[in-house]
Amino acid sequence: CTSVKEFFTGPPEKSVEELTASEIYERGQAQLAAGSEVAAARTFNEIERLYPFSQFAKRANIMSAYASYEGGQYTDARSAARRYVELYPSDEDAAYAQYIIALTYYDNISDVGRDQNITRNALQELTEVVRRYPNSDYARDAALKIDLTLDHLAGKEMEIGRYYLKRGHYSSAINRFKVVVDEYQTTSQAPEALHRLTEAYLALGLEREAIASAAVLGHNYPGSDWYVASYELLTGRDIVPDNDEADGFFSRVYRQVIQGKWL
Amino acid sequence: GPMSAHAQVAGAGQGAQSQIVIRGNRRIEPGTIISYMALPSDRAITAEDLNAATRRLFDTGLFRDVRVIPADRGIVVEVQENPSINEIAFEGNDIAKDEDLLRIISSRPRFPFTPATAESDAQAIIEIYRRTGRYGAQVEPVIIERSENRVDLVFEIDEGEMTGVSSIDFVGNRAFSDSRLRDEIETRESDFLSVFFSSDVYDPDRLELDKALLRQFYLSRGYADFSLLSATAELAPDRTGFFITFDVEEGEQYTFGEFDVQVNAEGLDAEDFLALIPAEDLTGETYDATEVEEIANELTDLAGEKGFAFVRVQPRADKDTEDRIIDITFELSEGSRIFIERIDIEGNTATLDRVIRREVELVEGDAFDARKIRLTRSAIRGLGYFERVEVEAEPGSGDDRAVLKVKVAEKSTGSINFGIGYSSSAGPIGTVAVTERNFLGRGQIVNATVTAAGDTQVYDLSFTEPKFLDRDLAVTMRGFFIQDDRDDESSFQLNRAGFEPSVAFPLSEDATLQLDYSFSRDDLEAAFNASPAIQVDDGSRFKSSVGYTLSYDKRNDRIEPTGGYLARINQEFAGLGGDAQFVKTRASIKGWQGFFDDDLVASIEVEGGALFTFGDDTRVNDRFFIGGNSLRGFAAEGIGPRDTVNASRDAVGGNFFGVVRAQVSFPIGLPEELGIYGGAFVDAGTLWGLNRTYFDAPAGNTSVSAVTIDDDPKIRVAAGGLLFIDSPFGPIELSVGFPIVKEDFDDDEIFRVSVGTRF
Amino acid sequence: CAPHMRTHGYVPIPEALARIEPGLDTRSSVQAKIGRPSASGAFDETGWYYVSTVVEHYTFYEPKVIDRTVIAVTFDENDVVEAVDRFGLQDGRLVDLTTRTTPTYGRQLTVIEQIVSNLGNVNAGDVFSDED
């Protein structure tokens, strides 16, 4: 008769050592279907450890990467995916493996106020997807994500540019905004960079350069609010009352101390 | 082996790509091997191509052996795959833990095994042991064959002994003896004390430091010709210790001659710089290189102030070897113009970029200034948010441009603890205490303590913005409702609710001023059998006061000071409305001094306080209480005026106090990582002065009698041992103190656990 | 406790500046004589600007720019110096900076996340009641 313990937990699960590669594979898939991705990843890893040369080893490798990624175990997912790309570079799943590597970084991009090392890694791995597997169906999505990471890196330059602008170090600010204008001109940050250049040059008293920046802004982004702001600045009068919060003492305290904004 | 070079491979004509036959591969597919070989498909394959392909396959690290053989209609590639690593284990390591070792080696489970990586991993492990001073360590990688072409990789480690310093000798020294020179350098000879101090362990970096110390010692005592011929360290045959020998050539002793300034940079006037040199009191004195360097720094600073950021000051010595006099000429020349084009901050995964950037003295576009870079590093380190701070300049986009890299490693800056309990008198107790010194990475400080226990509640909330609107102005808001249960010491319960805004700002590089306003209401409930001196203050009262704290910080390091001092004075003026009118003053000064390469740290602190009242007598809520942390060896509120007549023996505090705390801490031979240090202390102090000493028994209360309290100043002294532990809870101080001089009515406390660092 | 001044940026000294002759000096000779500029025009390199700012730091007051010198070296189309102008603080326009910023995303450090990351480190001060 079945022991009490078995009654509750069902037949004792055979230890992994006793199972064949395909049985372990099925257990992994079952666990994945049941939503316990991390356990599934561990099971797939066992196949690679016990039967490294079986046909299942290759499948298990990519499945372990997928399961770890879904389970949020980004470092494990990355090392499994890297192993796959290294062992089977020209296989049809290699594109997906490289894509997983990129996603492990992309999902963890931190906001612009903080270290952008992860963003740079994401950009590098996403570019690798597009470069090595251009016609895989992951290339299109990777290209899209590349634009977003570029926009994010531009956002970091803007944050530091605004830091110097606010403190009156206008030449430092100009150089930061120029990086955005030169290297990130396709991103959503470019119009603001041009307006900030107008502000900085004007603050230095270099009207000619301020007008030049505003002209480029008007020419490329005629409808943008930033062009309206530059235009007002140059003409010295507020055409449309700026919808900015009133800039009294308490609103500045609220914005900077409570909300943690930089300007 | 592969074909001889340059021979045209017969038969391997066009389209050789398709006739490549792969044999012996098990896990790696033919397609992969062919793509790694990268053979040219557009032309005939030569022997060089085959050799290159073979090397490429070896470089992948996937194969134990590769042989490329041209056959009659194409190429046969025979490979033997490297086994896959099944498991990695370490044996014989107790100093270094397995996870640390796993992190530094490159072999990984499930990755292919190669003898070369195993060998380099072994070397990496030996390097770790070398750095901790164990030069005798041996590491052997061992392979255990497993089925399915798998192997287990085991590193057998013999950690060996700590390699100490058997002897330090000097050759060629006439003016100073060996023992005198040994005092000058950091490395110590191993002796019976060596179990305590780590400075006797052989460390090549410390030997480099010793060379510089020796040179500086001679150059600052007139020996301008001094030269260190060699500094050798030989490992004893039994590998337990090193023999260190310094071979020196002292040369003659010189005295200072004339001083001159030569300017070959435009727009600078030699006279301004000459005026800075104290020639009168130096000429004729023994030559001292450090003196010359200090003058050079002062001249560079003066040039900087005049807007010449790139002037280089080069002292030139003209030696007159007969009468042994040195004339010094400071040459000012136009240095190379280097600018900081970018400042990049890395590693700040939690702290916002601006919280770090606002501590950087330089701005992008500024001239390169090594002193400001040093100031920046200690300012960022002073924030206390990081494990490690590195500030380095790296080459920029041109030879006149540099990029300043600020690399930080974050550490957790907060703590949270819950306390759930049940007390017989107060019922269920719940405590939540949250502190965060870097709230949301904005550098703001949040403290929130909420305790609910039956009828006793404590709410203490404070918020600080250290750089208010980007100014050097810290603004703090604090609100509190605190129940202070002082039943066993002074038989009363004090409920204090209040609100305290305060601001703090720097007056100068070392001085900071804090101004605060405090409005609070005290409800004091004296126990029925409390001393009349306590019962007289029963009831509630409002206090509205302003105060300031002026601190002067001359420590050499904010976190682990081993030199300098910290002086502080605080005064509170109560009487802006409210029922309390008093001036409460508290002042302290603490000095530190490190010995033996800062292994041993001594500190001495003197603290005093005075409470003056206008109108009625001082109340127990405001008086000073000494004992416990403030005077080790005695219980909290253990000393000072006390009601010795009534049974409750209540301490009533005093209007004046003076305390001296002397302490020394030293390593006790345990490895440094444990962070456990021993120590000894001598505390002496007194607490005295009441406005009135006779207290009548409260009307109708027969359980207490009138009392006259002795409020004369009497010295108490205690001494004992300390143990500092860097625990996961933070720094803890265990003290065992024995009162030597005390009054019979004092409460002493031999054993105490409290928060405290060894500094 | 007097206010202390910090100088930022770089402006060539008058003697060096005097040696720049409009109509004669070219971009490379200017660079050799007084080095590359702190900032230049964003779209064309006709203007080189050397900027030096003096900021006064005084106790709790906001750091204030009390002096600024801008040396503008403008070049004509074949890179020959057209003019060398000097601007001071008074030539700058007081600009009211727009506080609106272009949104960016990325994972914010939330309050909960920071508190959770502190779980486990207990503050000794609360564990051992710490009275005077």
Side-chain angles (χ1 to χ4, degrees), chain B residues 456-754:
Chain B
T456 64
Q457 279 91 23
V458 172
Y459 303 98
D460 193 335
L461 309 168
S462 80
F463 171 84
T464 302
E465 164 57 66
K467 290 277 167 75
F468 183 68
L469 295 178
D470 283 322
R471 301 156 186 243
D472 243 349
L473 176 67
V475 172
T476 303
M477 291 296 165
R478 178 172 176 246
F480 55 88
F481 171 81
I482 297 180
Q483 259 174 342
D484 194 350
D485 173 1
R486 304 264 279 275
D487 261 337
D488 34 23
E489 293 98 356
S490 311
S491 321
F492 67 81
Q493 179 101 12
L494 174 63
N495 296 356
R496 172 167 288 176
F499 171 65
E500 270 176 21
S502 69
V503 291
F505 50 86
L507 294 178
S508 75
E509 198 132 348
D510 306 315
T512 323
L513 181 63
Q514 180 190 339
L515 307 172
D516 53 65
Y517 169 72
S518 165
F519 178 82
S520 63
R521 170 196 158 101
D522 282 4
D523 292 316
L524 192 129
E525 288 161 49
F528 192 69
N529 60 2
S531 151
I534 300 289
Q535 301 214 25
V536 77
D537 291 334
D538 186 289
S540 69
R541 71 109 202 249
F542 282 99
K543 181 189 80 172
S544 159
S545 67
V546 286
Y548 74 87
T549 308
L550 179 64
S551 56
Y552 196 68
D553 189 346
K554 272 289 194 193
R555 293 172 292 181
N556 64 0
D557 185 283
R558 283 256 155 70
I559 301 167
E560 292 170 350
T562 53
Y565 61 89
L566 173 63
R568 196 175 279 149
I569 176 164
N570 161 283
Q571 284 198 308
E572 183 182 10
F573 307 93
L576 277 87
D579 317 325
Q581 279 88 28
F582 61 73
V583 174
K584 189 170 183 180
T585 309
R586 201 181 179 115
S588 73
I589 180 161
K590 181 170 184 180
W592 288 265
Q593 184 51 53
F595 302 93
F596 298 110
D597 189 15
D598 291 344
D599 275 353
L600 184 136
V601 178
S603 70
I604 180 158
E605 183 172 14
V606 178
E607 191 180 5
L611 174 61
F612 295 102
T613 173
F614 313 95
D616 42 26
D617 302 341
T618 58
R619 301 173 66 105
V620 71
N621 342 25
D622 307 317
R623 283 198 288 269
F624 296 111
F625 285 89
I626 293 294
N629 262 348
S630 48
L631 195 68
R632 287 168 291 199
F634 292 91
E637 302 171 32
I639 72 165
R642 185 181 295 274
D643 174 344
T644 48
V645 168
N646 289 299
S648 59
R649 291 185 66 257
D650 290 337
V652 296
N655 290 344
F656 307 94
F657 82 91
V659 174
V660 177
R661 281 185 288 271
Q663 165 182 319
V664 68
S665 88
F666 37 78
I668 46 173
L670 295 173
E672 217 163 302
E673 309 80 37
L674 290 181
I676 296 181
Y677 290 84
F681 73 90
V682 174
D683 284 5
T686 177
L687 175 65
W688 80 93
L690 292 171
N691 294 93
R692 61 185 242 231
T693 53
Y694 174 75
F695 297 89
D696 218 337
N701 182 338
T702 55
S703 62
V704 283
S705 42
V707 67
T708 307
I709 296 179
D710 168 7
D711 74 337
D712 293 343
K714 297 188 187 65
I715 292 292
R716 276 79 167 186
V717 179
L722 297 164
L723 193 64
F724 301 98
I725 303 174
D726 206 354
S727 78
F729 306 137
I732 291 179
E733 174 187 309
L734 306 171
S735 70
V736 177
F738 303 97
I740 303 164
V741 174
K742 73 181 184 98
E743 297 305 305
D744 41 28
F745 52 79
D746 287 343
D747 285 352
D748 45 25
E749 187 178 60
I750 308 298
F751 182 72
R752 258 188 85 69
V753 176
S754 66

Side-chain angles (χ1 to χ4, degrees), chain B residues 62-106:
Chain B
L62 299 171
F63 306 104
R64 185 183 300 195
D65 182 21
V66 174
R67 287 217 318 289
V68 180
I69 312 143
D72 45 16
R73 280 184 51 262
I75 300 168
V76 172
V77 180
E78 259 169 30
V79 291
Q80 220 189 5
E81 283 175 16
N82 268 323
S84 147
I85 298 178
N86 180 39
E87 258 152 10
I88 295 182
F90 304 94
E91 273 151 21
N93 55 326
D94 53 19
I95 295 278
K97 294 197 276 312
D98 286 6
E99 312 85 49
D100 305 336
L101 294 177
L102 252 183
R103 244 200 305 276
I104 55 156
I105 60 169
S106 38

